[in-house]
């Protein structure tokens, strides 16, 4: 158990310690009764064994043993009832003390919240939120003004239209080339390129013929030898 220092119904130190002392005393008594309960159960078992042993040979001894067993059984029932009572009392005291501690904790929490909310009202909170929204709106207007002044400065719309027309023409020319419909201007420009390609193609052929003639001369020289 914790929190004994919170007090017991507003009393002094003796009253604050009363629940703890009561529980300790009850637990000590409960431990003693539990030992007595075990002892009485052993005595009952012992008398039952004596009665069984003498049930045929000595009926008087067997009856006396059963009588003592009944006495022990009665004491055992009383002890068990006392144990249940003590356990119930311990539980009641612990529950009452926990309830009191919980109540004290809730009271302290209420006082703390009062201190936190001291000076705060719904109107003040609404005003603070309105001020925040107003400042956010001003910030957005400033950002828009800065962005517009920087982004549109020095741009000529006519130049943009001309550049867009050039891009469209370039895209059209590329599409015509892909489909095979090449404009006349493009064919004229491609003719020199084709001619240069043919001239470039002759150089490897000439080099190949020279290599063949060289190989033929070497072969003729070897045959002459």
């Amino acid at each position: 158990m914790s929190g004994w220092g919170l007090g017991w119904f507003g009393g002094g130190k003796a009253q604050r310690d009363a629940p703890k002392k009561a529980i300790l005393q009850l637990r000590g008594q409960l431990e003693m009764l539990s030992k007595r309960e075990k002892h009485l159960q052993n005595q009952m078992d012992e008398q039952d064994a004596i009665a069984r042993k003498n049930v045929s040979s000595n009926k008087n001894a067997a009856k006396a043993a059963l009588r003592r067993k009944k006495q022990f059984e009665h004491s055992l029932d009383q002890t068990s009832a006392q144990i249940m009572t003590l356990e119930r009392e311990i539980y009641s005291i612990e529950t009452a003390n926990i309830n009191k501690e919980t109540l004290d904790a809730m009271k302290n929490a209420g006082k703390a919240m009062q201190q936190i909310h001291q000076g705060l009202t719904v109107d003040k909170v609404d005003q603070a939120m309105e001020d925040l929204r107003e400042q956010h709106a001003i910030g957005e207007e400033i950002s828009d003004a800065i962005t517009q002044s920087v982004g549109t400065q020095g741009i000529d719309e006519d130049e943009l239209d001309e550049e867009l027309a050039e891009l469209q023409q370039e895209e059209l020319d590329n599409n015509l080339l892909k489909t095979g419909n090449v404009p006349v201007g493009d064919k004229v420009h491609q003719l020199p390129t084709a001619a240069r390609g043919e001239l470039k193609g002759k150089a490897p052929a000439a080099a190949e013929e020279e290599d063949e003639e060289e190989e033929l001369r070497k072969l003729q020289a070897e045959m002459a030898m």
Side-chain angles (χ1 to χ4, degrees):
M1 299 296 294
S2 62
W4 298 102
L6 293 177
W8 183 255
F9 300 114
K13 186 177 184 301
Q15 289 178 324
R16 291 195 301 269
D17 294 339
K20 183 177 181 180
K21 290 182 179 180
I23 291 176
L24 290 176
Q25 184 178 6
L26 289 171
R27 289 192 181 279
Q29 186 68 15
L30 183 63
E31 182 178 0
M32 186 272 294
L33 290 175
S34 296
K35 291 179 180 180
R36 175 176 173 78
E37 184 182 40
K38 185 177 180 180
H39 173 72
L40 291 172
Q41 184 64 51
N42 292 335
Q43 292 294 324
M44 286 178 57
D45 294 340
E46 183 178 349
Q47 296 303 317
D48 183 75
I50 293 173
R52 292 176 183 276
K53 181 179 179 181
N54 296 286
V55 66
S56 299
S57 59
N58 192 344
K59 293 183 179 179
N60 291 331
K63 185 181 292 186
L66 290 175
R67 187 178 297 109
R68 288 191 296 269
K69 178 183 176 182
K70 287 291 184 181
Q71 293 175 351
F72 289 135
E73 184 177 1
H74 178 68
S75 297
L76 179 61
D77 291 339
Q78 290 180 337
T79 303
S80 298
Q82 291 175 353
I83 289 175
M84 292 179 62
T85 301
L86 290 179
E87 290 177 343
R88 184 168 57 251
E89 291 300 322
I90 292 173
Y91 175 79
S92 298
I93 294 174
E94 289 178 343
T95 301
N97 194 59
I98 290 174
N99 291 337
K100 182 188 177 300
E101 292 182 356
T102 302
L103 179 61
D104 290 340
M106 293 175 65
K107 288 180 179 179
N108 292 333
K111 293 178 180 179
M113 292 183 67
Q114 288 178 357
Q115 293 178 354
I116 293 172
H117 293 155
Q118 187 176 4
L120 290 178
T121 62
V122 176
D123 293 336
K124 291 182 178 180
V125 174
D126 291 339
Q127 184 61 43
M129 297 303 297
E130 181 65 26
D131 293 340
L132 285 174
R133 286 191 289 268
E134 182 178 353
Q135 293 303 317
H136 282 302
I138 293 174
E140 291 179 359
E141 291 178 0
I142 293 174
S143 298
D144 292 340
I146 294 174
T147 304
Q148 291 176 1
S149 62
V150 173
T152 61
Q153 185 176 3
I155 296 178
D156 189 348
E157 294 294 333
D158 294 336
E159 292 181 0
L160 292 178
D161 293 336
E162 292 179 2
E163 186 174 353
L164 178 61
E166 291 177 0
L167 291 176
Q168 291 175 344
Q169 185 60 41
E170 183 178 349
E171 181 68 17
L172 179 60
D173 294 342
N174 290 333
N175 292 334
L176 291 174
L177 288 174
K178 291 178 181 179
T179 57
N181 298 324
V182 183
V184 176
D186 291 339
K187 291 183 178 180
V188 173
H189 289 301
Q190 289 178 0
L191 289 176
T193 302
R196 286 195 298 269
E198 293 177 357
L199 292 176
K200 290 181 180 179
K202 292 181 179 179
E208 186 177 354
E209 292 179 358
E210 291 180 357
D211 292 339
E212 291 178 354
E213 292 179 358
E214 182 65 23
E215 291 292 334
L216 181 59
R217 287 195 293 270
K218 289 181 179 181
L219 182 59
Q220 291 175 349
E222 290 177 359
M223 293 178 65
M225 293 177 61

